[in-house]
Amino acid sequence: MALPTTVWLVSAVILSLITFLALNRSQKDVVLRRLGLRRRRASRPSTPSLEKQQMPSKPLATSALDLFATLPPSQRGQLNKMVETMPAAQRQAMGDLSFDQNTFARSLLDFEEDYRTADDSKYCYSGFSVRELKALGDFPDYSALSEVPMPQPYLEFDINRAKPRPYRPFRWAYHQTMSLTKLETDWWIELESTYRTRIAQRKELYAKHGSSVLGWLPGSELVCKELMEMVLQFICARYPQYFVLSPDKSRLENKILGTVSVIKEKHPLLILLDNVPEDFGIMLRNPETGFYHLRAGMVCSALGWNVGTKIGLKLHEIHEPIPDYKEKMQFSMDRFFSKMPASKPIQRGSWGLEVDQPLYMPPGDPHESYRDFQDTTLTRSRIHLRVDWQTLRRLPLSAGIVFNFKALFTPLEEFRDEPYVPSLMKKVLTEGKENLMKYKNTWHTEHVVVPALEEFEKEQIEKGIIEKDWEPKTLEDSPWFPGWQEKWHAQQGF
């Protein structure tokens, strides 16, 4: 064995040993149990410090220990600011806000434990005690808790004319990366003119497919409630002309649909199903391993998978079909989830090409047959770009991570006048990495799409819209193209 390799292995072993020895006794017990070196004991593991921890220089050597030993940054410090403006009764209900690390480590809620029936002295891994969670009550100020500002009111918004922003998340060179950017907080939940149709379609899907599209597991009670309240706070602030919470926060009036939702009459995800055409996947940390699992979700826009087949799985198990995920992304994504702060939500986009506008296509769906061949009768008018514009954020109280997205469809013809988009898209389709393009599954449309893009590209060159010698690359304002705002405003009229 070459000397540098030997040195690396020895260093990795020493680093792993040092990390192991740094753990407390109950953490060591968990690690040894997972290695099969100690009989399982009834007592639960202790939990390490909330302080941010450094990753080792050779991460693969100690990744399991690091995930177990890393908790997300806590937002409980915001309580000290909020308590100053609380009514006296609520301040008293909060109790002593002092925090003892050892007490916290001994008192974590179990993975499947319902905080509503737990002892007040127990803690969520976010650092908030059950007593504090209950004292905060319904609809606390999540912008203060998370340090993410509430959106600006969008008073000129007209649900009957609104178009989605024209996301074009094409990249070149095209590699398998998450391509994350900072969330535009005004656009966390984006509504548009398909609202009524999508709400009806999604409720029909739930009535037909049940737990395949919407479900929750024990231990997700807090995070589901928290998500629902954050979303309702957002839409009431962003679209006040359409959504109003009653003064006692018990009812949501939806002026688009002409409905009133009594919030505690249904599970929080069902309240969202009735009012928000957005998909949500909810991940929670397993205290015994540090891995994040899908513990609840409402996903009515999945292609090739569904909630029923993914719920309960770890993050890397969910992404198992994705090319290069295990080799290039698994460790970094596990680490990202373990350290992501509530104050820094992010966004990204994924895309594909579809015949018509399939919203929900589980394995075995008849629409899948379109992907098996290139239909010679297929016309441009039936082909759409599907963009799943996605956001990822940690919730402040539960410390759950919520992945949400919305499927947006754009006709192929729209790209004709969008500078550089046809050239960039053609480059990805014709020269993209084989395994990535196979996974993206665009082949069944390419015999129509590529000639159309070539036509659009030629027109743009002839009209001077783009340079003749332009080499395709990720656009500077990606996922946008030059002049997108003018086109978007013109199309919707505001």
Side-chain angles (χ1 to χ4, degrees), residues 34-198:
R34 296 187 68 211
L35 294 174
L37 298 178
R38 182 170 294 187
R39 186 174 60 198
R40 188 176 183 87
R41 296 164 63 179
S43 61
R44 62 171 295 107
S46 179
T47 308
S49 171
L50 288 170
E51 296 179 1
K52 188 174 181 180
Q53 302 179 27
Q54 297 296 319
M55 296 301 295
S57 58
K58 296 293 184 181
L60 292 179
T62 57
S63 59
L65 292 177
D66 289 323
L67 289 177
F68 174 77
T70 303
L71 285 176
S74 176
Q75 295 295 116
R76 67 168 287 113
Q78 296 302 106
L79 276 182
N80 293 321
K81 302 175 184 177
M82 296 174 63
V83 75
E84 297 174 0
T85 59
M86 288 180 180
Q90 188 177 24
R91 285 201 304 270
Q92 184 177 1
M94 280 284 171
D96 184 2
L97 292 184
S98 62
F99 181 80
D100 180 73
Q101 177 65 36
N102 292 326
T103 301
F104 165 74
R106 293 193 304 268
S107 308
L108 278 179
L109 289 164
D110 292 327
F111 195 32
E112 298 188 351
E113 191 169 4
D114 185 344
Y115 83 103
R116 297 173 299 182
T117 56
D119 189 274
D120 284 357
S121 63
K122 284 205 161 187
Y123 281 83
C124 180
Y125 66 88
S126 62
F128 290 89
S129 72
V130 169
R131 176 173 181 169
E132 291 161 353
L133 294 171
K134 292 176 179 178
L136 281 168
D138 299 330
F139 292 92
D141 185 349
Y142 286 108
S143 64
L145 286 165
S146 65
E147 299 178 274
V148 176
M150 292 294 286
Q152 294 297 310
Y154 196 180
L155 299 179
E156 62 270 36
F157 176 82
D158 182 345
I159 192 66
N160 298 307
R161 296 186 294 159
K163 302 291 183 185
R165 295 190 296 171
Y167 299 99
R168 306 292 183 259
F170 306 117
R171 294 177 282 121
W172 190 264
Y174 182 50
H175 302 295
Q176 187 61 286
T177 66
M178 292 303 288
S179 189
L180 306 175
T181 58
K182 182 180 179 181
L183 174 66
E184 299 168 277
T185 54
D186 280 352
W187 297 94
W188 180 38
I189 305 295
E190 182 176 0
L191 305 183
E192 31 85 25
S193 60
T194 66
Y195 177 87
R196 296 179 183 88
T197 302
R198 284 285 184 256

Side-chain angles (χ1 to χ4, degrees), residues 12 46 57 72 96 196 217 232-233 317 352 365 390 393 435:
S46 179
S57 58
D96 184 2
R196 296 179 183 88
L217 296 178
L232 297 195
Q233 278 188 354
E317 293 170 339
D365 188 276
Q390 307 159 356
R393 68 186 303 169
N435 67 331

Side-chain angles (χ1 to χ4, degrees), residues 369-437:
S369 62
Y370 282 114
R371 301 185 174 203
D372 296 336
F373 64 100
Q374 291 186 330
D375 183 358
T376 57
T377 66
L378 183 62
T379 60
R380 291 183 186 179
S381 62
R382 293 187 62 194
I383 297 177
H384 295 78
L385 171 73
R386 171 177 163 142
V387 171
D388 291 345
W389 192 246
Q390 307 159 356
T391 70
L392 193 72
R393 68 186 303 169
R394 187 182 298 281
L395 306 192
L397 297 180
S398 64
I401 290 184
V402 172
F403 165 79
N404 65 287
F405 70 95
K406 182 176 185 177
L408 303 169
F409 294 91
T410 303
L412 177 63
E413 188 67 25
E414 283 293 315
F415 306 144
R416 184 184 290 273
D417 63 354
E418 297 179 354
Y420 305 105
V421 171
S423 302
L424 180 55
M425 189 175 178
K426 185 188 75 170
K427 184 78 168 180
V428 175
L429 291 176
T430 57
E431 299 182 33
K433 189 175 178 181
E434 184 178 357
N435 67 331
L436 296 181
M437 299 312 299

Side-chain angles (χ1 to χ4, degrees), residues 186-352:
D186 280 352
W187 297 94
W188 180 38
I189 305 295
E190 182 176 0
L191 305 183
E192 31 85 25
S193 60
T194 66
Y195 177 87
R196 296 179 183 88
T197 302
R198 284 285 184 256
I199 289 288
Q201 189 176 13
R202 292 163 64 85
K203 292 176 73 171
E204 182 180 343
L205 284 169
Y206 178 57
K208 181 178 180 180
H209 298 284
S211 61
S212 291
V213 297
L214 191 155
W216 58 88
L217 296 178
S220 65
E221 294 81 11
L222 174 60
V223 71
C224 288
K225 173 182 182 289
E226 183 179 17
L227 171 64
M228 179 269 293
E229 292 179 345
M230 289 180 70
V231 171
L232 297 195
Q233 278 188 354
F234 180 94
I235 61 175
C236 289
R238 182 64 168 161
Y239 310 105
Q241 64 272 48
Y242 293 120
F243 300 97
V244 180
L245 273 174
S246 62
D248 64 356
K249 307 295 195 300
S250 67
R251 289 172 169 80
L252 173 73
E253 181 183 3
N254 184 326
K255 296 182 180 180
I256 303 173
L257 301 178
T259 60
V260 175
S261 298
V262 181
I263 290 170
K264 292 194 175 180
E265 283 188 351
K266 292 184 176 182
H267 187 276
L269 293 184
L270 297 178
I271 296 294
L272 292 179
L273 177 71
D274 290 342
N275 293 283
V276 183
E278 188 92 10
D279 287 338
F280 298 95
I282 301 173
M283 311 289 293
L284 288 173
R285 180 183 182 273
N286 187 329
E288 290 208 354
T289 65
F291 284 105
Y292 281 76
H293 296 244
L294 180 67
R295 299 297 293 176
M298 175 177 69
V299 181
C300 300
S301 310
L303 299 182
W305 64 280
N306 59 43
V307 168
T309 61
K310 301 291 187 180
I311 197 163
L313 298 184
K314 300 173 186 174
L315 181 63
H316 66 270
E317 293 170 339
I318 293 170
H319 292 92
E320 188 174 357
I322 298 178
D324 299 338
Y325 184 87
K326 181 177 181 180
E327 296 80 8
K328 296 184 178 180
M329 298 171 64
Q330 178 178 330
F331 176 76
S332 61
M333 286 305 299
D334 285 337
R335 182 175 59 180
F336 181 82
F337 267 55
S338 71
K339 295 189 172 189
M340 183 184 187
S343 60
K344 295 182 179 180
I346 53 90
Q347 62 187 17
R348 68 178 297 270
S350 66
W351 63 273

